[in-house]
Amino acid sequence: MIYLKTAEEIELMRASNLLVSTTLAELAKHIRPGITTGKLDEIAEEFIRDHDAVPGFKGYSDYPKTLCTSVNEQVVHGIPSEKIVLKEGDIISVDCGVIKNEFYGDTAFSFEVGEVSEEMKQLLKVTRESLYKGIEKAVEGQRVGDIGYAVQKHAESFGYSVVREMVGHGLGRRLHEEPEVPNYGRRGTGAKLKKGLVICIEPMINMGRRQISQGADGWTISTADKKPSAHFELAIAIDKGKADILSTFSFIDEILNKSQ
Ligand code: MF3
Ligand code: CO
Ligand code: CO
C-alpha cells in the first residue's frame, strides 16, 4: 500500500523532519574525539523530548536506542554505547528518527571526527552528492529505478560500491512504508513517483566492496572487507518539477563551518 500525503500532512512531516535536522545539528556541536556514542544518544533523546516529540527508533523492532551510530566500517544500525569512544580520524554516520504529531522524521548524516584522511573526505563528499543526484530524479512522473540509477552511477564512477541489502523507503505514519527505494537500479523501472509520496533516499556507499556482514548484537551492519562506509539520508516529498526536501543539512553545515 502506497500512501500519498495531503498538503496538510506534508506540513506535519516537514515539522517532524525539521526536528530531526536540528537534532543532528545539536549533535554536530558535540562530535569530536573523546565523546562516546552513548553520550550522543543521551543528548539526542533529551533534545527530541524537549521538542514535544519522541524518539522514532527506540522500541521499533525492539531497537534499544534513539540513534543509530555507525563508525568507520560500520554501515548502519550501530548501537550507541558508553563504551564506544570516538577518535581522531573516524567517520560516523548518525541516523535519527522522531515521531511528532503522529508522523515520522528520519534523516542521517555522516560526520568527520577531528581531522580525517583525504580518502575519507572524498567518500563522504561523493556519498552526499549521490544522495542529491537521486533527489534530482525524485519528481512526479519518474520511477523509483531512476533514483537508484542516478545514485549508483555517481558512486560507482569513483570506484565505490553500493550496498544492496538495505534501501530507502516511504515515510509517514510508519517509519518504513512502501515503496522500497534502492540505491541502485535501472532507468524507467519500478513504481511511478506521484505527487504526495514521501520517501527517504539514503545511500549507503562503501569504499571497497559492497558485501556486508551482520554483527553479533543482531543489529550492527559492517562492510565484509572492513573498509569504511558512509550514509546520508533525507526525506523528500514528490512534487511536480522538483522534489520538496523535508529535512535539511543546512543547520549541520552552519555548525560545522562555524567551528572551522
Ligand atoms: N533509520 C533507519 C532508516 O533510515 C532505520 C532504523 S531502524 C532501527 O530506515 F530500528 F534501527 F532504528
Ligand atoms: Co534513517
Ligand atoms: Co530511513
Side-chain angles (χ1 to χ4, degrees):
M1 177 78 190
I2 289 187
Y3 299 95
L4 300 179
K5 276 76 184 180
T6 64
E8 290 75 22
E9 288 173 327
I10 286 174
E11 289 320 306
L12 293 176
M13 293 199 68
R14 194 186 310 282
S16 303
N17 283 286
L18 218 49
L19 176 56
V20 182
S21 307
T22 51
T23 305
L24 290 173
E26 183 61 28
L27 296 173
K29 297 177 189 166
H30 294 90
I31 292 175
R32 65 174 81 92
I35 195 162
T36 67
T37 56
K39 182 69 191 172
L40 294 175
D41 196 76
E42 243 176 64
I43 293 166
E45 179 164 4
E46 188 180 335
F47 191 87
I48 290 165
R49 294 193 190 279
D50 282 348
H51 289 83
D52 303 315
V54 295
F57 299 165
K58 209 173 191 174
Y60 179 88
S61 299
D62 292 328
Y63 187 73
K65 295 285 182 179
T66 293
L67 301 175
C68 296
T69 49
S70 309
V71 181
N72 297 333
E73 77 280 3
Q74 296 177 350
V75 180
V76 285
H77 301 168
I79 303 175
S81 159
E82 287 304 332
K83 291 187 193 134
I84 301 173
V85 184
L86 296 183
K87 60 178 197 310
E88 184 93 23
D90 285 344
I91 56 170
I92 178 175
S93 149
V94 182
D95 194 342
C96 180
V98 305
I99 310 171
K100 188 180 168 82
N101 296 321
E102 292 179 26
F103 283 96
Y104 276 92
D106 179 16
T107 296
F109 190 92
S110 290
F111 295 89
E112 303 173 5
V113 180
E115 201 47 51
V116 311
S117 69
E118 285 304 319
E119 251 196 325
M120 292 286 214
K121 278 188 187 160
Q122 184 185 264
L123 177 67
L124 297 184
K125 178 168 179 280
V126 170
T127 304
R128 183 172 171 166
E129 284 168 357
S130 70
L131 165 57
Y132 285 104
K133 294 282 181 192
I135 291 175
E136 276 175 30
K137 301 294 176 201
V139 292
E140 191 175 50
Q142 298 278 87
R143 290 180 185 272
V144 166
D146 295 312
I147 297 173
Y149 176 82
V151 170
Q152 179 180 17
K153 185 166 167 252
H154 190 67
E156 290 183 351
S157 74
F158 288 84
Y160 299 147
S161 62
V162 174
V163 173
R164 307 294 167 104
E165 291 84 348
M166 271 108 23
V167 295
H169 50 92
L171 185 73
R173 287 193 160 86
R174 293 173 187 229
L175 177 58
H176 293 144
E177 297 184 354
E178 287 181 42
E180 291 196 343
V181 183
N183 299 296
Y184 57 92
R186 288 192 294 126
R187 282 180 285 185
T189 65
K192 222 183 202 158
L193 302 173
K194 294 194 179 138
K195 185 177 165 74
L197 177 65
V198 176
I199 55 173
C200 287
I201 306 178
E202 49 178 312
M204 289 147 267
I205 304 298
N206 297 349
M207 195 179 281
R209 295 171 59 81
R210 69 175 173 82
Q211 281 74 17
I212 54 165
S213 70
Q214 188 168 19
D217 61 15
W219 281 103
T220 311
I221 302 292
S222 299
T223 57
D225 63 12
K226 303 291 177 225
K227 292 190 178 165
S229 181
H231 176 218
F232 287 83
E233 174 177 28
L234 288 168
I236 63 132
I238 302 296
D239 212 329
K240 240 198 185 89
K242 194 173 191 297
D244 182 2
I245 308 178
L246 303 180
S247 37
T248 174
F249 298 143
S250 61
F251 304 118
I252 299 172
D253 287 336
E254 227 171 85
I255 299 294
L256 296 181
N257 294 334
K258 225 182 276 173
S259 66
Q260 271 173 8

